[in-house]
Amino acid sequence: MGNCISFILPKWRFSELRSDGMVSVDEGGTHEGIKTIRIQKACEFITSSVLCVCIVTWNMNSKMSVQDVRKLVSSDRKFDLLVLGLQEAPKSGVAEVLQEAMADTHSLLCQKTMQSLQMYLFGAKSSESYIRELKVDKYAVGGCGGVIGRKKGAVAMYINFSGIRMVFVSCHLAAHEHKVEKRNSECQHISHSLFSKNDIHYAKSADITVWLGDLNYRLEGISSMPARKMIEENRQSKLRDKDQLLQEAEKGQVFNGYCEGTLSFKPTYKYNVGSSNYDTSYKIRVPSWTDRILFKVDQSSGLDAILSSYEALDCVRSSDHKPVKAHLCLKVRGGDA
């Protein structure tokens, strides 16, 4: 595996590994916050990877653009699995466009929907034989977010893929700058509730956990025009210390010990629909990195992971959010697959 299309069984036995770590956004111990990790442009695991996963999150703003949906899955598909989480997705049409776009290389393995939250899992051709277990779940928080059909909460997938146990959580949390504590609370409720029914705790035995979605954490302590000026001057790195998600994680409130790539791309919200210009409505919202991808590898899993890309897709313009894409590769720690 890891060569993206031709699957080869790993030479080691995942069944011999144990993972007793609790998958949670508030794990105990020393507060580590979110670990910012560097991007390796060329995946150093390319010849020895066990598994490569492409992860995409996008708030579609209830608008359907066939062209933009196709842009989410580029023709350069050097990955074994594709995980796609959508928020404020239209009721129909997305699955069909994705399947048509992916038909030459990947098949739809699973999908889960909760109103405007949609999640899709694609695997390289013939990958179905490597699935040992596949479960889905959902958890709603709050009401409809003020708009019928736009429910907040999360949809999730647990997959045991050739012995690698993975949990993917695609979420949409409370909006507005001042609702930080509500977002923190929603993270906790989602984390503790998914896959907890009937004493079957899939999430507790995951080797890797990935959260993706419109987490809705904003920039705090800066007004819109100064923030935009810094972005225009390509100095958005100076805005990271104003990011609520990183601040709350540093306090130990959420995602303690999770990893994220460097926020080198422009804030992904809020744009004028049909453009790459930030909000010019009367609200003049402060640009923010609302759309994120975070991951955590259980230390007892025997796996290492690198991030070979973490980027926003500026070419997608049909929504007021930009999609975010990550490429994550896994290998056996201290050995070759």
Side-chain angles (χ1 to χ4, degrees):
M1 280 182 267
N3 57 3
C4 312
I5 297 298
S6 302
F7 280 81
I8 302 173
L9 280 172
K11 297 177 182 178
W12 60 300
R13 297 177 58 190
F14 284 100
S15 60
E16 294 177 353
L17 296 176
R18 295 190 58 187
S19 178
D20 300 319
M22 179 80 172
V23 171
S24 175
V25 296
D26 64 341
E27 293 191 17
T30 304
H31 293 325
E32 301 178 59
I34 293 174
K35 304 173 185 176
T36 299
I37 59 174
R38 67 185 180 92
I39 306 299
Q40 298 189 20
K41 296 298 183 182
C43 177
E44 67 179 19
F45 296 167
I46 197 67
T47 59
S48 60
S49 296
V50 176
L51 190 68
C52 288
V53 185
C54 180
I55 305 152
V56 181
T57 180
W58 185 30
N59 183 318
M60 297 182 69
N61 195 28
S62 301
K63 295 177 173 59
M64 180 64 184
S65 165
V66 172
Q67 182 179 10
D68 279 353
V69 171
R70 287 174 176 166
K71 289 177 182 177
L72 301 179
V73 290
S74 63
S75 57
D76 184 19
R77 297 176 192 155
K78 296 181 179 180
F79 49 81
D80 302 305
L81 297 176
L82 168 69
V83 178
L84 176 61
L86 302 174
Q87 308 84 42
E88 296 188 19
K91 292 182 178 179
S92 61
V94 177
E96 292 77 10
V97 174
L98 286 171
Q99 286 180 281
E100 181 182 358
M102 299 287 289
D104 292 341
T105 58
H106 291 69
S107 302
L108 181 63
L109 302 179
C110 184
Q111 67 183 84
K112 181 64 175 175
T113 298
M114 183 177 71
Q115 290 190 11
S116 61
L117 279 169
Q118 298 180 11
M119 192 175 187
Y120 300 91
L121 174 65
F122 285 85
K125 295 290 187 179
S126 76
S127 61
E128 291 91 342
S129 60
Y130 292 90
I131 300 175
R132 298 183 184 176
E133 191 174 15
L134 181 59
K135 300 291 182 182
V136 295
D137 202 1
K138 64 182 180 180
Y139 185 77
V141 295
C144 297
V147 180
I148 295 175
R150 292 187 182 183
K151 185 180 288 293
K152 296 294 197 297
V155 292
M157 294 180 183
Y158 167 91
I159 182 171
N160 183 326
F161 192 85
S162 193
I164 305 178
R165 296 161 295 185
M166 296 173 282
V167 170
F168 299 98
V169 181
S170 176
C171 65
H172 192 187
L173 304 181
H176 307 302
E177 178 184 341
H178 64 281
K179 294 189 177 180
V180 180
E181 292 184 2
K182 186 173 183 180
R183 286 188 280 276
N184 292 349
S185 176
E186 289 175 348
C187 280
Q188 304 294 348
H189 285 298
I190 291 168
S191 177
H192 294 151
S193 300
L194 289 173
F195 302 112
S196 62
K197 301 178 181 68
N198 303 317
D199 294 322
I200 302 175
H201 298 289
Y202 292 100
K204 290 183 180 180
S205 60
D207 298 313
I208 181 167
T209 307
V210 179
W211 281 63
L212 57 147
D214 181 359
L215 277 64
N216 251 323
Y217 288 89
R218 308 300 175 93
L219 293 184
E220 190 170 6
I222 188 170
S223 58
S224 188
M225 300 318 294
R228 296 180 189 209
K229 181 174 177 57
M230 294 176 72
I231 296 167
E232 289 172 2
E233 296 172 352
N234 199 29
R235 294 189 295 125
Q236 59 261 22
S237 62
K238 303 295 184 182
L239 297 173
R240 293 174 198 159
D241 62 354
K242 300 184 183 300
D243 178 71
Q244 289 178 338
L245 179 56
L246 296 180
Q247 291 174 352
E248 294 304 301
E250 186 67 26
K251 297 174 187 175
Q253 298 297 316
V254 289
F255 296 109
N256 186 37
Y258 274 69
C259 297
E260 183 183 26
T262 303
L263 292 170
S264 58
F265 48 85
K266 297 178 181 179
T268 54
Y269 175 85
K270 174 181 168 90
Y271 287 87
N272 291 331
V273 174
S275 77
S276 287
N277 299 319
Y278 285 113
D279 179 30
T280 56
S281 73
Y282 72 95
K283 294 183 179 180
I284 317 179
R285 293 174 179 84
V286 179
S288 298
W289 286 291
T290 56
D291 311 277
R292 311 288 276 269
I293 299 172
L294 310 167
F295 68 94
K296 188 169 189 176
V297 179
D298 189 279
Q299 290 302 304
S300 65
S301 68
L303 293 172
D304 277 331
I306 68 162
L307 201 58
S308 61
S309 69
Y310 190 42
E311 59 184 334
L313 303 183
D314 187 66
C315 59
V316 173
R317 300 183 176 182
S318 57
S319 172
D320 53 355
H321 290 251
K322 298 297 184 182
V324 173
K325 177 185 286 191
H327 188 102
L328 188 67
C329 286
L330 308 174
K331 70 168 290 186
V332 185
R333 186 178 304 128
D336 294 328

